Amino acid sequence: MPEYRCLTNENNKSTELPLLRIGGTVQQNPHMRAFWASTISFFLAFLGWFALAPLSLDVAYSMEICENQKYPPDEFPLRKSYLKFKNLKTEDLYCRYGKNDEDEPTDCVDVPEAVMQTTCATDPDSPLCNKYDKLTLTRCVCTAGTDCRSVLGNAGIASVASTIFVRVALGTLLERFGPTNVQCGLMTMASVWVALATAINAPWNFIL
């Protein structure tokens, strides 16, 4: 019976978890080597799989599909995505004084007469004299109903759909090649796609 660096039972399975006991050869310490190899590879796979999710707006901006890139607010101030926009960080509205309709707005409410007679009379260039607060728009407006949101949504659907295929295929691959070979193969293949993420420049390759 081989001597392991971990205490084992009659089935040669470790009965302890010495996290820092990482030395030794494959024959001497297979338990902790397998533990750390699987743990590190899992977190690398997790990071690679979900790396783009928190960066989706930055990726959308680099692809130039944001609503305010395709339709500059100076030229298209009445876009519905602008009229309904609310900055989640500052809670400021694009329509400084409200919308003319809560559900289906077509324009912002005009500047109140009281503001026109006081602030605007003394300072016509004051931001309060403009019913559109364009500065409250974020760098990438990607709200519901925009092409930008559709692209990000389709990318999410494609991501989930691919996991279904992988999960079905993994059963056969694990039985045929073993967990070590399959995990190494997956990590190698995934690293190629993670590297290719730097070349994203259009919606089709973002979804792919």
Side-chain angles (χ1 to χ4, degrees):
M1 184 175 182
E3 292 187 5
Y4 299 118
R5 295 202 172 188
C6 295
L7 297 178
T8 59
N9 59 17
E10 64 277 4
N11 296 318
N12 289 334
K13 295 184 178 180
S14 178
T15 57
E16 58 178 351
L17 186 62
L19 295 178
L20 300 180
R21 196 178 301 168
I22 58 178
T25 63
V26 176
Q27 291 75 23
Q28 294 172 331
N29 196 16
H31 306 90
M32 296 313 299
R33 287 167 64 98
F35 171 82
W36 281 115
S38 59
T39 300
I40 293 172
S41 65
F42 168 78
F43 279 106
L44 287 175
F46 188 89
L47 179 64
W49 192 264
F50 294 102
L52 284 180
L55 301 174
S56 56
L57 290 181
D58 292 308
V59 175
Y61 184 82
S62 69
M63 292 187 292
E64 298 183 352
I65 62 172
C66 300
E67 189 77 354
N68 44 342
Q69 288 177 305
K70 299 176 68 174
Y71 306 99
D74 289 333
E75 300 176 26
F76 303 90
L78 300 182
R79 294 287 298 179
K80 186 177 292 187
S81 55
Y82 299 153
L83 298 178
K84 291 186 173 184
F85 184 83
K86 179 180 181 180
N87 191 307
L88 297 179
K89 184 179 292 185
T90 63
E91 297 190 352
D92 292 332
L93 300 172
Y94 173 79
C95 288
R96 194 186 302 274
Y97 301 104
K99 300 169 286 191
N100 61 0
D101 186 277
E102 282 299 319
D103 298 323
E104 295 294 332
T106 56
D107 200 353
C108 296
V109 173
D110 291 331
V111 180
E113 190 64 29
V115 177
M116 293 293 294
Q117 294 177 355
T118 55
T119 304
C120 300
T122 57
D123 184 11
D125 296 328
S126 172
L128 298 178
C129 300
N130 191 340
K131 60 182 179 180
Y132 306 120
D133 187 3
K134 298 172 184 176
L135 295 179
T136 197
L137 297 175
T138 55
R139 187 174 76 146
C140 181
V141 176
C142 194
T143 53
T146 62
D147 293 338
C148 173
R149 178 58 66 87
S150 298
V151 170
L152 298 186
N154 290 337
I157 293 173
S159 177
V160 173
S162 66
T163 64
I164 298 175
F165 169 76
V166 171
R167 290 172 187 270
V168 172
L170 277 182
T172 301
L173 293 174
L174 286 170
E175 291 181 0
R176 184 175 180 85
F177 301 107
T180 302
N181 293 328
V182 171
Q183 182 71 342
C184 290
L186 285 175
M187 294 294 291
T188 302
M189 183 177 67
S191 65
V192 175
W193 289 105
V194 171
L196 288 175
T198 60
I200 293 174
N201 58 8
W204 70 267
N205 50 34
F206 177 64
I207 295 173
L208 181 63

